[in-house]
Amino acid sequence: MPNRERLDLVRPATRCRQIVAMACSAVAFLLIVGCAGKPLLEYSTDTPAMALLPISKAGLIDGRARFREIFCAISAARGPELPDHRPCVDALVKLSDEGRPTGRPVTLGAGSISLTFLLVPGVGWDCVEHYLDANQPSANHVANFGYTMKILDVEPLSSSARNAELIRDAVMAMPAPAGEERLVLLGYSKGAPDILEAITAYPELESRITAVVSTAGAIGGSPLANTSSQDRANLLVSFPGADCVTGDAGAVESLKPAVRRQWLATHSLPKSIHYYSLATYPAPERISYLLQASYDKLSQIDPHNDSQLIVHDQFIPGSVLMGFLNADHWAIAVPISRTHKIMSSTLVNKNDFPREVLLEAMLRFVEEDLSDSAD
């Protein structure tokens, strides 16, 4: 019997302590302060997408209908053989103003462009990555079609300005894309504003990067950061087996809505780069138990939230809106359910999501849009 299985059977006390530590660190990561009552408004799919956005961010290009076609085609073709399969209609949220299908065929074979996706993760990622083994299954899946997926290392508890510098260094250390090669930066949670700060602070990146994708990105910050502290986030360095540092300890400050909105108001994004946004807008029954308190807390402000971010704070201004995912903030990127059954049956009990289908759909959507733009 492998050592890992034997530990699960022979040392339950150790496993329980790890779970408690995981829960405590998760609370720090969630930036939860206090409890919340019943949401003031109800979740609804009758709301038009533009009603979710402040006027200053209303310049989105609607790509939802095409993204749905691509996602659903992939899901139908190979979803049942992949982990965490969910019917397309359940995985994507359809708001009342989503357009009609385009009717275009969806390519499911090898990609026509050599795409490399670099994922810039959110707060605390390096502290818990060893616990999750998050990247490999999805990366292996898209590699079957000629795509490359890698994680770009940043400091999990540092400011967006500091991580922007690390993004710049990592990208510039790579060979410059040649021929049909394209480099796409994918920002999850705080990783999205880290990317935006990088491409505006370092003009030399503009010629290297073709596109930026925000997935549940904290573009406008999170109100939860207003009532939290960096000290709470720093508890993640005590996660069992963590190999991470606090860096400049500026993560929470970088997530405050006033900081992010001031940054957006004073910076212009490079026009040569293509921008895409994908938001998480889960039905209440798709929120994990551990995330319920922060979901309710944010619902006092706006019921359109994923337990960490309000929907209208997840969009890059002027980007292509790919769609809304029926998943909480963790479900699309933190695969606890696949390897930690006790956690997934108790605290993080709504963590299943077809991430391989999602990543492939994102890649194919971006590839198609870039090809259309080049014509």
Side-chain angles (χ1 to χ4, degrees):
M1 180 181 292
N3 289 338
R4 185 171 181 177
E5 294 182 11
R6 185 162 57 246
L7 282 175
D8 288 341
L9 294 172
V10 178
R11 299 177 61 188
T14 298
R15 178 61 62 193
C16 289
R17 285 195 293 271
Q18 288 180 343
I19 291 171
V20 171
M22 170 67 173
C24 293
S25 295
V27 171
F29 176 65
L30 296 173
L31 310 179
I32 296 173
V33 178
C35 299
K38 183 180 179 180
L40 299 179
L41 298 172
E42 297 298 323
Y43 171 93
S44 173
T45 57
D46 293 331
T47 306
M50 297 313 295
L52 302 179
L53 306 174
I55 294 175
S56 63
K57 294 184 183 177
L60 299 180
I61 301 168
D62 194 351
R64 288 176 291 164
R66 183 55 182 165
F67 182 79
R68 180 179 294 275
E69 287 179 303
I70 294 172
F71 187 102
C72 292
I74 296 169
S75 181
R78 38 183 164 261
E81 286 74 45
L82 294 170
D84 298 326
H85 175 61
R86 286 166 60 183
C88 179
V89 67
D90 183 48
L92 300 180
V93 177
K94 188 172 186 178
L95 298 185
S96 60
D97 62 344
E98 183 175 313
R100 297 175 63 83
T102 69
R104 294 176 63 181
V106 176
T107 300
L108 297 176
S112 60
I113 299 176
S114 178
L115 284 181
T116 295
F117 259 45
L118 294 183
L119 169 65
V120 180
V123 175
W125 184 269
D126 279 3
C127 302
V128 299
E129 183 182 7
H130 66 284
Y131 182 84
L132 302 173
D133 189 25
N135 181 48
Q136 201 63 32
S138 294
N140 289 342
H141 174 71
V142 297
N144 293 325
F145 311 105
Y147 304 122
T148 300
M149 172 74 175
K150 300 178 181 178
I151 292 181
L152 193 157
D153 290 329
V154 291
E155 293 176 354
L157 299 169
S158 282
S159 66
S160 289
R162 168 56 180 159
N163 283 344
E165 180 183 2
L166 296 176
I167 293 168
R168 181 265 174 203
D169 292 346
V171 171
M172 297 306 295
M174 299 173 62
E180 290 295 316
E181 295 178 344
R182 299 290 185 272
L183 180 62
V184 179
L185 297 188
L186 169 61
Y188 165 66
S189 196
K190 181 178 166 289
D194 291 354
I195 290 171
L196 297 189
E197 291 213 15
I199 61 176
T200 55
Y202 303 102
E204 60 268 31
L205 291 178
E206 191 170 350
S207 64
R208 299 290 189 102
I209 297 168
T210 299
V212 171
V213 180
S214 167
T215 304
I219 305 299
S222 172
L224 297 176
N226 289 334
T227 53
S228 188
S229 68
Q230 184 68 31
D231 287 344
R232 183 173 287 107
N234 289 348
L235 291 175
L236 282 167
V237 300
S238 299
F239 184 86
D243 182 18
C244 60
V245 295
T246 56
D248 69 6
V252 172
E253 181 69 19
S254 290
L255 286 171
K256 291 182 178 179
V259 172
R260 295 267 48 93
R261 290 168 187 168
Q262 174 64 20
W263 188 92
L264 288 167
T266 55
H267 292 80
S268 297
L269 301 178
K271 294 182 179 180
S272 65
I273 297 176
H274 297 254
Y275 301 95
Y276 304 89
S277 296
L278 189 60
T280 37
Y281 177 34
E285 60 269 20
R286 293 303 311 179
I287 304 291
S288 281
Y289 177 81
L290 187 61
L291 303 179
Q292 191 66 53
S294 56
Y295 173 78
D296 289 345
K297 189 178 182 72
L298 281 180
S299 291
Q300 299 296 307
I301 302 171
D302 192 326
H304 311 108
N305 76 83
D306 70 352
S307 79
Q308 299 302 287
L309 302 172
I310 294 172
V311 170
H312 68 60
D313 288 324
Q314 298 183 40
F315 304 104
I316 301 174
S319 63
V320 177
L321 172 58
M322 290 196 287
F324 300 92
L325 305 176
N326 187 15
D328 64 35
H329 194 73
W330 276 11
I332 63 167
V334 187
I336 294 172
S337 64
R338 297 187 183 182
T339 54
H340 300 285
K341 299 304 181 183
I342 296 177
M343 283 288 290
S344 66
S345 64
T346 54
L347 297 175
V348 191
N349 57 328
K350 300 294 181 180
N351 187 247
D352 56 312
F353 195 82
R355 299 178 193 91
E356 287 79 9
V357 173
L358 173 61
L359 180 59
E360 183 184 346
M362 291 166 56
L363 283 159
R364 292 194 184 279
F365 182 94
V366 170
E367 177 185 49
E368 182 179 277
D369 190 67
L370 293 177
S371 296
D372 289 348
S373 299
D375 292 341

